[in-house]
Structures are given as structure tokens and as C-alpha cells.
Amino acid sequence: MRRREIAAGMALLAVGAGARPSASQTGDATLDAVLRRWDQDEHPDLKGVVVLVDGQRVAERYYNGERTDALHDIRSAGKSVTSLLVGAAHDRGLIHDLSDPVERYWPEARGSAVGDVTLTDLLTMRSGLAADDDLPDSPGNEDALDESADPAAFLLATPRATAPGSAWLYNSLTAYAAGLVVEKATGRQGQDFAREALFTPLGVERFNWASDVGGHIKGQGNLSLSVRDMARIGQMVLDGGRYGGRPVLSSTWIEESLKPRVEIGSVDPFADGYGYFWYARALPVGDDAVDVRFASGNGGNKIYVVPSRRTVVCVTSSAYGRGYGQRRSQAILTAVLAAQTGFA
């Protein structure tokens, strides 16, 4: 699915209709004008954009009838939140070392293809599992995972395609395994741990994180948040794990998880590198190349973090399975950054 969407994303950029409230209500007329460019998009599936600078909401716009409090399925951008939960468990000493194999926290995995995979290789999409979401007949395909009567058993039965750590292959099964490790390490249901360790400290009162039929968190995504609450996550990441002056995650974890560890530019036109379920890109903006770290979900759902600009840009979109959603979101980010530097 991701490769099909990326390929389609190289098609013509689209731009959305009917917005409220406008950025001018939050204080930046220039950025208001930028976001208005997408009011007449031929594709009626752009939902919302929020821009924070120095922790202040300076621009906000909604499209196609979306409301400020609407929960939106951010799809695979939820993988990056799963990474934050791994960090929360690590900070608490419940996960000891990322060189640990999965089986240390999930003994039932011993002897399976995922059992001896290290947490580092999980978080960098180098599990080696035979899981290709773009190939319907792949043993670990995400659709087959979703349709399984026992997804955890499905994971244990998925064979190995390559040696762990040897090859990068984006897939949902690997992130699902990371979510299971969080549950096993903490002894908590994923939603409960997410609420206690992440969402409550961020002031996120409403969210919905889908579970599989076995009651396990879908670490691969299917997390629904408002775009404003996505921005809270982005701000915490921008501030090195702190929110409102209080620590949520360690600065070490944030730094390590955002660090590009695998080069993926040859297979992904929207990113240069990959960290712990977080992407990295040196984005061309005018004459500059601006470093961006981001969470990315099907359809163009994004949490963009731009350290050099002290900026967070979040986008929600329902262009699921349509590659123009990814390109549109990147265009919105580029336009915002260009406006900040006078290139708009």
C-alpha cells in the first residue's frame, strides 16, 4: 500500500473547500493567506492544518466541513506514536535495552522469525520479516494481518525473508510487533499505557486507538486524534520530550528516535532517512534545505517538526490510498516554511 501511494503521490498536486476557523483567528495573516490556497482543492478530502511556532498556535484552518474537535484516523502516523510509547517504557526501565530481542519481553515468540529480532531492528523497519504490504500474497501482508482471527499468532507464524538488520522494508506487521512488545513489557493494555504515559501529560482528553480482535493495540496505526492534539505531540517532540515545561519523555529518547539511521531516499520521494518510526527530510525551501522530522500516515496525515524554525505543522487528510494526499501535505509544509522566509 505505501509504495502504491508513494508512486501515485508523484501525480498532480491537488488543493480543498470550505474552512473554519481561519488562521487570522489565531494571529498570523500571512499564514492565513497561505492556508487559504487550499480552499478550492479539486479533491474534497483535506481536513485540517495547524501551525505552531514557539509553542503558539499561529495558524489553523479547516476544510470540507471538518471541526476543531473532530477525531481523525491518522493511519500510519500512529507508528511514530508507538515509537514514543516504546520510549516511555524504556524511560521507566520496563524496556531495558534496544539491543534486547523481542522474546525477552514476549517469551512466546521464542523460536519464531520475530523472536530474536532486536528492538532496534523493529523500530527501524529492519525486522527481516516476510511482510510486504504491497504484495497481496506476502505472508505478512497488512490486509491478511487485519483479517486474521488471531493477529498475534499470525505474527508468530510469519517467516523470515532476510536477516534482521540487513534490509529496510516498510510494513505494518513490524510496527504491530512493537506495539505488542510495549504491552508485554508494561503489563498494560496499549491504550491504557498510552493514556497514562503520553496523552494525559499532553492534555489530550479524547483519542481512539483501535485494537485487534485479541484486544491488542494496533501499533501499526489506526489512531484517531484531533489535529490540535497531533500538534501537542509535535510540540513535545520539538521540545525534546517536554510539554508545558514538564518532562513527558527523556530528551535522550527523542534525540535517538529522530536520528536518521537508514537511508531511504532511493525508495521514498518524500523522505531521506528513517529513525525509530520517524522520517527525516532535508526539504528544499527557496535556497535553503530545511531539516524536517515527521510522522506520516496514508492519505497525507502528517506531524511535521521543524527544529530550526521552532515550528510544528500538522495536517489531517482522508485521501486514503491516493498518493496526491502525500504530495499535497508536503506542499502545505513547504508553503508555510517559504512564507516564514519570504519566498512565498
Side-chain angles (χ1 to χ4, degrees):
M1 174 64 76
R2 179 169 174 76
R3 282 204 295 272
R4 292 197 299 270
E5 188 185 23
I6 285 172
M10 302 312 293
L12 184 65
L13 170 67
V15 272
R20 65 181 187 276
S22 72
S24 59
Q25 292 174 287
T26 53
D28 192 310
T30 300
L31 291 181
D32 180 38
V34 168
L35 299 188
R36 284 181 185 273
R37 297 178 193 174
W38 279 270
D39 281 357
Q40 303 304 320
D41 187 357
E42 62 179 304
H43 301 289
D45 46 23
L46 181 61
K47 296 300 182 180
V49 181
V50 167
V51 181
L52 306 182
V53 177
D54 284 326
Q56 300 300 311
R57 193 185 315 131
V58 298
E60 180 174 28
R61 195 163 189 85
Y62 294 87
Y63 308 82
N64 301 300
E66 189 79 344
R67 306 189 66 87
T68 60
D69 60 351
L71 296 183
H72 182 86
D73 186 350
I74 64 174
R75 297 294 175 95
S76 287
K79 290 179 172 67
S80 302
V81 182
T82 296
S83 171
L84 299 178
L85 296 187
V86 174
H90 186 266
D91 287 346
R92 288 160 171 75
L94 301 173
I95 287 177
H96 306 287
D97 194 293
L98 294 191
S99 64
D100 289 341
V102 167
E103 63 191 29
R104 174 167 183 175
Y105 303 97
W106 187 20
E108 294 86 350
R110 188 168 290 113
S112 71
V114 77
D116 62 352
V117 175
T118 68
L119 302 190
T120 295
D121 287 339
L122 279 188
L123 292 169
T124 55
M125 289 291 180
R126 295 181 294 184
S127 67
L129 293 173
D132 191 325
D133 294 340
D134 292 315
L135 298 177
D137 60 350
S138 174
N141 177 273
E142 65 177 327
D143 292 334
L145 170 67
D146 288 338
E147 294 166 4
S148 172
D150 188 340
F154 176 91
L155 168 58
L156 294 179
T158 300
R160 179 168 292 170
T162 60
S166 65
W168 187 84
L169 179 62
Y170 181 93
N171 64 86
S172 288
L173 188 62
T174 294
Y176 174 72
L180 276 178
V181 167
V182 169
E183 291 194 335
K184 300 298 183 180
T186 63
R188 307 274 300 280
Q189 286 194 320
Q191 297 91 334
D192 293 339
F193 184 67
R195 181 181 293 106
E196 177 262 316
L198 184 63
F199 294 132
T200 295
L202 292 178
V204 175
E205 298 179 351
R206 297 173 57 245
F207 73 95
N208 181 42
W209 203 331
S211 298
D212 65 19
V213 294
H216 301 297
I217 193 173
K218 287 192 171 185
Q220 68 269 37
N222 298 117
L223 170 63
S224 294
L225 294 165
S226 72
V227 67
R228 286 182 175 180
D229 286 341
M230 292 166 64
R232 292 173 186 262
I233 293 172
Q235 188 63 43
M236 183 271 294
V237 170
L238 179 65
D239 286 340
R242 301 182 71 86
Y243 188 78
R246 298 181 178 181
V248 179
L249 295 173
S250 68
S251 59
T252 299
W253 179 263
I254 297 298
E255 180 181 356
E256 289 297 309
S257 60
L258 297 185
K259 184 185 301 181
R261 297 170 182 277
V262 187
E263 293 183 4
I264 63 171
S266 63
V267 295
D268 190 330
F270 301 104
D272 301 322
Y274 198 74
Y276 293 160
F277 293 168
W278 284 85
Y279 293 88
R281 175 83 192 273
L283 183 69
V285 181
D287 295 329
D288 297 331
V290 180
D291 283 333
V292 180
R293 302 292 184 266
F294 62 100
S296 180
N298 189 321
N301 293 284
K302 306 285 184 176
I303 302 174
Y304 291 114
V305 178
V306 190
S308 66
R309 305 293 182 88
R310 294 290 304 156
T311 295
V312 172
V313 179
C314 293
V315 184
T316 50
S317 165
S318 293
Y320 301 130
R322 301 182 179 276
Y324 64 76
Q326 301 288 354
R327 188 163 181 173
R328 178 176 62 196
S329 293
Q330 181 173 281
I332 291 170
L333 171 67
T334 302
V336 168
L337 298 179
Q340 290 180 326
T341 51
F343 289 110

